[in-house]
Amino acid sequence: MGLGGLQHYTIEPSDLERTKDFYCDVLGLENGDRPPLDFPGYWLYSGGTATVHLMGTRKPREGIVVRGTEKKYEDTGRLDHIAFAADDVDGVRKRLNSGLALAGIVVCQVDLRTNHARDVISALRKRFQEDVYAGVIRENTLVAEAVGFQKPITVYDPRSSGAADYRKLAEEFEARIRDSTQRKEGHG
């Protein structure tokens, strides 16, 4: 199937701080960078990889479903999910859902000023070719702020470069869907 190693696992512990202290002080993981999510938590790193994601309590809000909040375990908390890396999309598709379609790969949170970012994008495009969207979502402080205020960037600051990136991606996505639909209907 092309399933690689464990990428990370995410838990919602009953005591966020004590759990973080255990993983860091006892097991030696390092507390590191975490996206600006709208709930408390930590990403704990092992060998430079964010292997353990700890989530604090999430609050339901309009349009967002928060899974698993009704079931609590007093002593340990709750396992949210486990993520594995996969290197064979076709193998995953065949094994899990033969009807699964990849709409595309979005390159996001990139700083195009760096050689590393440009090299990674080039490698992605070489490996996955037309599956990689042309538009990229650049690293942007306003996008992070919008998340904190629970608003889409196109509402929070519609003139920002982040909003422009997302609009460009949406247009490209719609065009791909339209082209795919026309091919299936025999119009293209």
Short mmCIF file of all heavy atoms in Angstrom, two decimals, residues 100-122:
data_model
loop_
_atom_site.label_atom_id
_atom_site.label_comp_id
_atom_site.label_asym_id
_atom_site.label_seq_id
_atom_site.Cartn_x
_atom_site.Cartn_y
_atom_site.Cartn_z
N LEU A 100 -11.67 6.80 -4.62
CA LEU A 100 -11.01 7.98 -4.10
C LEU A 100 -10.27 8.71 -5.21
O LEU A 100 -9.54 8.10 -5.98
CB LEU A 100 -10.01 7.58 -3.01
CG LEU A 100 -9.23 8.68 -2.31
CD1 LEU A 100 -10.18 9.54 -1.48
CD2 LEU A 100 -8.16 8.07 -1.42
N ALA A 101 -10.50 10.00 -5.32
CA ALA A 101 -9.84 10.79 -6.35
C ALA A 101 -9.01 11.89 -5.69
O ALA A 101 -9.47 12.57 -4.79
CB ALA A 101 -10.87 11.41 -7.29
N LEU A 102 -7.81 12.04 -6.15
CA LEU A 102 -6.94 13.11 -5.67
C LEU A 102 -7.25 14.36 -6.46
O LEU A 102 -7.10 14.40 -7.69
CB LEU A 102 -5.46 12.71 -5.86
CG LEU A 102 -4.44 13.77 -5.52
CD1 LEU A 102 -4.43 14.03 -4.02
CD2 LEU A 102 -3.06 13.34 -5.99
N ALA A 103 -7.73 15.39 -5.77
CA ALA A 103 -8.04 16.65 -6.45
C ALA A 103 -6.78 17.44 -6.75
O ALA A 103 -6.75 18.22 -7.69
CB ALA A 103 -9.00 17.49 -5.60
N GLY A 104 -5.75 17.23 -5.97
CA GLY A 104 -4.50 17.93 -6.20
C GLY A 104 -3.73 18.09 -4.91
O GLY A 104 -4.22 17.81 -3.83
N ILE A 105 -2.50 18.54 -5.05
CA ILE A 105 -1.61 18.77 -3.91
C ILE A 105 -1.39 20.26 -3.79
O ILE A 105 -0.99 20.92 -4.75
CB ILE A 105 -0.28 18.03 -4.10
CG1 ILE A 105 -0.52 16.52 -4.19
CG2 ILE A 105 0.70 18.38 -2.98
CD1 ILE A 105 0.69 15.72 -4.63
N VAL A 106 -1.68 20.80 -2.60
CA VAL A 106 -1.53 22.23 -2.34
C VAL A 106 -0.23 22.45 -1.59
O VAL A 106 0.00 21.84 -0.54
CB VAL A 106 -2.71 22.77 -1.51
CG1 VAL A 106 -2.51 24.25 -1.19
CG2 VAL A 106 -4.02 22.53 -2.24
N VAL A 107 0.60 23.31 -2.10
CA VAL A 107 1.83 23.70 -1.42
C VAL A 107 1.48 24.92 -0.56
O VAL A 107 1.00 25.93 -1.08
CB VAL A 107 2.94 24.05 -2.43
CG1 VAL A 107 4.20 24.49 -1.69
CG2 VAL A 107 3.23 22.86 -3.33
N CYS A 108 1.68 24.78 0.74
CA CYS A 108 1.26 25.88 1.63
C CYS A 108 2.32 26.18 2.68
O CYS A 108 3.22 25.37 2.92
CB CYS A 108 -0.07 25.56 2.28
SG CYS A 108 -0.10 24.07 3.24
N GLN A 109 2.16 27.35 3.28
CA GLN A 109 3.07 27.84 4.32
C GLN A 109 4.51 27.86 3.83
O GLN A 109 5.42 27.41 4.52
CB GLN A 109 2.95 27.03 5.61
CG GLN A 109 1.62 27.19 6.29
CD GLN A 109 1.56 26.44 7.60
OE1 GLN A 109 1.98 25.28 7.68
NE2 GLN A 109 1.05 27.08 8.63
N VAL A 110 4.72 28.38 2.63
CA VAL A 110 6.06 28.43 2.07
C VAL A 110 6.56 29.86 2.00
O VAL A 110 5.80 30.79 1.77
CB VAL A 110 6.15 27.78 0.66
CG1 VAL A 110 5.91 26.30 0.73
CG2 VAL A 110 5.19 28.43 -0.31
N ASP A 111 7.84 30.01 2.22
CA ASP A 111 8.51 31.29 2.08
C ASP A 111 9.30 31.24 0.78
O ASP A 111 10.39 30.66 0.72
CB ASP A 111 9.43 31.54 3.28
CG ASP A 111 10.08 32.91 3.24
OD1 ASP A 111 10.04 33.58 2.18
OD2 ASP A 111 10.64 33.32 4.28
N LEU A 112 8.74 31.80 -0.27
CA LEU A 112 9.33 31.70 -1.60
C LEU A 112 10.66 32.44 -1.72
O LEU A 112 11.34 32.33 -2.73
CB LEU A 112 8.34 32.21 -2.65
CG LEU A 112 7.08 31.36 -2.80
CD1 LEU A 112 6.10 32.02 -3.75
CD2 LEU A 112 7.42 29.96 -3.26
N ARG A 113 11.04 33.17 -0.68
CA ARG A 113 12.33 33.86 -0.70
C ARG A 113 13.49 32.90 -0.43
O ARG A 113 14.64 33.24 -0.67
CB ARG A 113 12.35 34.98 0.36
CG ARG A 113 11.29 36.05 0.11
CD ARG A 113 11.21 37.00 1.28
NE ARG A 113 10.82 36.26 2.47
CZ ARG A 113 10.64 36.79 3.67
NH1 ARG A 113 10.84 38.07 3.85
NH2 ARG A 113 10.27 36.05 4.69
N THR A 114 13.18 31.69 0.05
CA THR A 114 14.26 30.76 0.41
C THR A 114 14.50 29.74 -0.69
O THR A 114 13.57 29.29 -1.37
CB THR A 114 13.93 30.01 1.72
OG1 THR A 114 12.82 29.14 1.49
CG2 THR A 114 13.60 30.98 2.85
N ASN A 115 15.75 29.37 -0.85
CA ASN A 115 16.11 28.32 -1.81
C ASN A 115 15.47 27.00 -1.42
O ASN A 115 15.04 26.24 -2.29
CB ASN A 115 17.63 28.15 -1.88
CG ASN A 115 18.31 29.32 -2.55
OD1 ASN A 115 17.72 30.00 -3.39
ND2 ASN A 115 19.55 29.57 -2.18
N HIS A 116 15.42 26.72 -0.12
CA HIS A 116 14.85 25.45 0.34
C HIS A 116 13.40 25.31 -0.12
O HIS A 116 13.00 24.26 -0.65
CB HIS A 116 14.94 25.35 1.86
CG HIS A 116 14.29 24.12 2.41
ND1 HIS A 116 14.82 22.86 2.23
CD2 HIS A 116 13.15 23.96 3.12
CE1 HIS A 116 14.03 21.97 2.79
NE2 HIS A 116 13.01 22.61 3.34
N ALA A 117 12.60 26.35 0.05
CA ALA A 117 11.19 26.28 -0.35
C ALA A 117 11.08 26.05 -1.86
O ALA A 117 10.29 25.21 -2.31
CB ALA A 117 10.46 27.56 0.05
N ARG A 118 11.86 26.77 -2.62
CA ARG A 118 11.82 26.60 -4.08
C ARG A 118 12.26 25.18 -4.48
O ARG A 118 11.69 24.59 -5.40
CB ARG A 118 12.66 27.67 -4.76
CG ARG A 118 12.03 29.08 -4.64
CD ARG A 118 12.72 30.11 -5.51
NE ARG A 118 14.11 30.31 -5.17
CZ ARG A 118 14.57 31.18 -4.28
NH1 ARG A 118 13.72 31.94 -3.62
NH2 ARG A 118 15.86 31.30 -4.05
N ASP A 119 13.26 24.64 -3.79
CA ASP A 119 13.72 23.27 -4.08
C ASP A 119 12.65 22.24 -3.75
O ASP A 119 12.45 21.28 -4.50
CB ASP A 119 15.00 22.95 -3.30
CG ASP A 119 16.22 23.73 -3.78
OD1 ASP A 119 16.15 24.33 -4.89
OD2 ASP A 119 17.22 23.76 -3.05
N VAL A 120 11.97 22.42 -2.62
CA VAL A 120 10.91 21.48 -2.23
C VAL A 120 9.77 21.53 -3.25
O VAL A 120 9.26 20.48 -3.68
CB VAL A 120 10.39 21.80 -0.80
CG1 VAL A 120 9.11 21.04 -0.50
CG2 VAL A 120 11.47 21.48 0.23
N ILE A 121 9.37 22.71 -3.65
CA ILE A 121 8.29 22.84 -4.64
C ILE A 121 8.70 22.19 -5.96
O ILE A 121 7.92 21.47 -6.58
CB ILE A 121 7.92 24.32 -4.85
CG1 ILE A 121 7.27 24.87 -3.57
CG2 ILE A 121 6.97 24.49 -6.03
CD1 ILE A 121 7.10 26.38 -3.57
N SER A 122 9.94 22.40 -6.37
CA SER A 122 10.44 21.79 -7.61
C SER A 122 10.40 20.27 -7.51
O SER A 122 9.98 19.59 -8.46
CB SER A 122 11.86 22.29 -7.88
OG SER A 122 12.39 21.66 -9.01
#
